[in-house]
Amino acid sequence: MRREGVIFISNEFLSIITGERKNDMIQIEDYMKLPLPEGVILNGVVIDDVELKRQLQTLKDKGIEAVHLIVDSAKIIAKQLTIPFMKRDQIEEFIKNEVSLDESSKGEMIYDYCYLGEGIEVKKTYRILAVGVAKSFIESYIDVFKQAHIKILSIDYSINALMKFTSIIPGLIDKSYIVTQVDGNNLTSILFIDNNYTLTDRSRIFSTKGTPEFDNDVIRSISHLVQFSTSSQKSAPISDVYVMGLEKENSATLFERIQDTLTLQAQTFPKSKFVYAKRDGNNTFDLNEYVLPLGHFGRR
């Protein structure tokens, strides 16, 4: 029987899980995190396809022959839009006009969107997250997986996967918070107000993890979203910051500084009874290392 997995490819590693959602629980059968040598993936772009295929062989060795792929990159253009009710083909044409870099790029890009909820300020409208990305970006992943003899069942955007994850984890309902992800030199902070996606802040960092300069870079990114939330007079004040992508030795001091500087509770996502990993062995499942693959099992 063919095994299927969910894989997130970052600049530093591959994180893969196999499992299924049963009622109100995600049951994880297997999981692994494979490090990627520097330069294999840069800002989400495949640079060294030979090394990536070598790492994908590990999936084949585990019997995983098909995957749901999650990718992230600053090259993916994403905008939150409020639009009136319209047909799907009208929405797609609207997105092309809003997300394309210019008129000539429309034929060279792929577009998609997800539903965020009803419009807040104008009746009979709804909010969507519209995305556009160059066809060559997607085709590079398709080619690598095809050469590795692994079928891609779907491709999802990391922000959408995160939104699906936050929609199923208890304790976040009606909460306003920020999720910050460190991925190599890329820093991404995402603002959620009342557990609804609101804004993304992306930046490049060149300081070393665990240094005061690095902490300053992270705090600056979070502060931008705090200022936005305050200036827009949103209803619920931000209470927490959830940080992904840092080892424990690099996070303790950062968490303290976030608390002291911004008066926010900084932490990793807490363990959840909603996620159950049933693989035997001493390797404890850390939910924070598989947030985006877990998001695949959410619903939007």
Side-chain angles (χ1 to χ4, degrees), residues 24-185:
D24 290 330
M25 178 177 289
I26 300 173
Q27 290 190 356
I28 306 301
E29 295 177 356
D30 201 0
Y31 52 92
M32 53 185 148
K33 186 175 179 180
L34 306 175
L36 285 176
E38 185 176 356
V40 176
I41 302 290
L42 183 61
N43 191 22
V45 177
V46 179
I47 304 298
D48 186 348
D49 60 344
V50 174
E51 178 61 27
L52 181 56
K53 283 185 288 186
R54 191 181 73 82
Q55 293 289 354
L56 291 176
Q57 183 60 44
T58 304
L59 276 67
K60 290 286 292 183
D61 294 342
K62 288 271 191 176
I64 299 175
E65 299 180 355
V67 296
H68 298 276
L69 173 63
I70 300 170
V71 295
D72 182 54
S73 174
K75 292 184 176 295
I76 299 174
I77 303 171
K79 291 184 179 180
Q80 183 177 171
L81 304 172
T82 299
I83 63 176
F85 291 99
M86 60 179 74
K87 296 179 180 178
R88 182 177 179 86
D89 58 343
Q90 294 175 313
I91 295 175
E92 291 174 350
E93 189 61 32
F94 183 85
I95 290 173
K96 287 182 182 180
N97 293 327
E98 290 292 326
V99 176
S100 298
L101 296 173
D102 51 52
E103 190 68 26
S104 63
S105 70
K106 289 184 179 180
E108 302 301 321
M109 296 183 69
I110 296 173
Y111 304 91
D112 203 354
Y113 67 95
C114 68
Y115 175 76
L116 297 178
E118 295 183 357
I120 298 174
E121 298 179 355
V122 181
K123 293 182 178 180
K124 294 184 178 181
T125 61
Y126 57 97
R127 295 174 295 113
I128 63 172
L129 180 66
V131 298
V133 64
K135 289 181 180 178
S136 58
F137 178 91
I138 298 298
E139 288 170 349
S140 65
Y141 281 102
I142 293 175
D143 290 343
V144 170
F145 276 79
K146 184 176 181 179
Q147 293 174 36
H149 304 289
I150 298 175
K151 183 177 181 179
I152 295 179
L153 301 171
S154 66
I155 301 178
D156 199 0
Y157 178 39
S158 60
I159 302 299
N160 188 50
L162 178 62
M163 287 191 292
K164 290 189 288 187
F165 172 81
T166 59
S167 71
I168 60 176
I169 296 300
L172 297 181
I173 297 177
D174 297 329
K175 196 172 187 178
S176 295
Y177 55 91
I178 293 170
V179 179
T180 294
Q181 181 178 23
V182 180
D183 180 19
N185 290 333

Side-chain angles (χ1 to χ4, degrees), residues 178 218-224 226-227 238 241 256-265:
I178 293 170
V218 175
I219 291 172
R220 191 177 300 113
S221 174
I222 296 170
S223 180
H224 287 165
V226 172
Q227 292 173 24
I238 299 171
V241 177
E256 291 178 4
R257 289 199 56 196
I258 292 174
Q259 172 69 40
D260 294 341
T261 306
L262 302 175
T263 321
L264 299 175
Q265 180 67 41

Side-chain angles (χ1 to χ4, degrees), residues 235-254:
S235 58
I238 299 171
S239 59
D240 296 83
V241 177
Y242 298 99
V243 180
M244 303 185 296
L246 285 182
E247 299 79 9
K248 290 183 179 180
E249 58 268 24
N250 293 325
S251 59
T253 302
L254 172 62

